[in-house]
Amino acid sequence: MKTIERYDIDDMIHELPEKRLCEVRDFIGYLLEKEKKHKAFVKRVLKARAEPREEFKSVDALMKAIRAFKE
């Protein structure tokens, strides 16, 4: 975010009453948590894509691999 936009937000925040500041803080916390979860999801997807995939010729072969994995 540009510095000017941050200053604009800062100026607006100073005009808010205390109750609204708490709401802004809670919303920012929500956005930060959402961003954290998104980054973790992207990391898992990229990791999964990098791993070699195994292809199965039949459903029976797939089920056999799943059962072996559970054990």
Side-chain angles (χ1 to χ4, degrees):
M1 183 184 282
K2 296 178 184 176
T3 305
I4 293 173
E5 291 173 344
R6 288 178 187 244
Y7 286 131
D8 289 345
I9 292 170
D10 193 41
D11 289 341
M12 288 188 271
I13 286 176
H14 287 295
E15 297 178 20
L16 291 174
E18 189 68 30
K19 181 182 177 187
R20 297 296 181 197
L21 287 175
C22 292
E23 292 173 2
V24 169
R25 185 192 67 230
D26 291 344
F27 182 67
I28 290 171
Y30 163 77
L31 291 175
L32 289 171
E33 184 65 26
K34 197 172 175 182
E35 185 65 24
K36 180 180 166 185
K37 288 180 180 180
H38 176 72
K39 285 181 181 179
F41 171 74
V42 169
K43 185 177 178 180
R44 286 193 316 266
V45 168
L46 292 175
K47 182 181 176 186
R49 280 185 168 179
E51 293 177 0
R53 293 187 302 189
E54 189 172 338
E55 294 189 23
F56 299 94
K57 298 195 187 292
S58 68
V59 173
D60 291 331
L62 173 62
M63 293 306 295
K64 186 176 181 180
I66 291 171
R67 288 187 192 104
F69 180 74
K70 286 183 178 181
E71 296 172 356

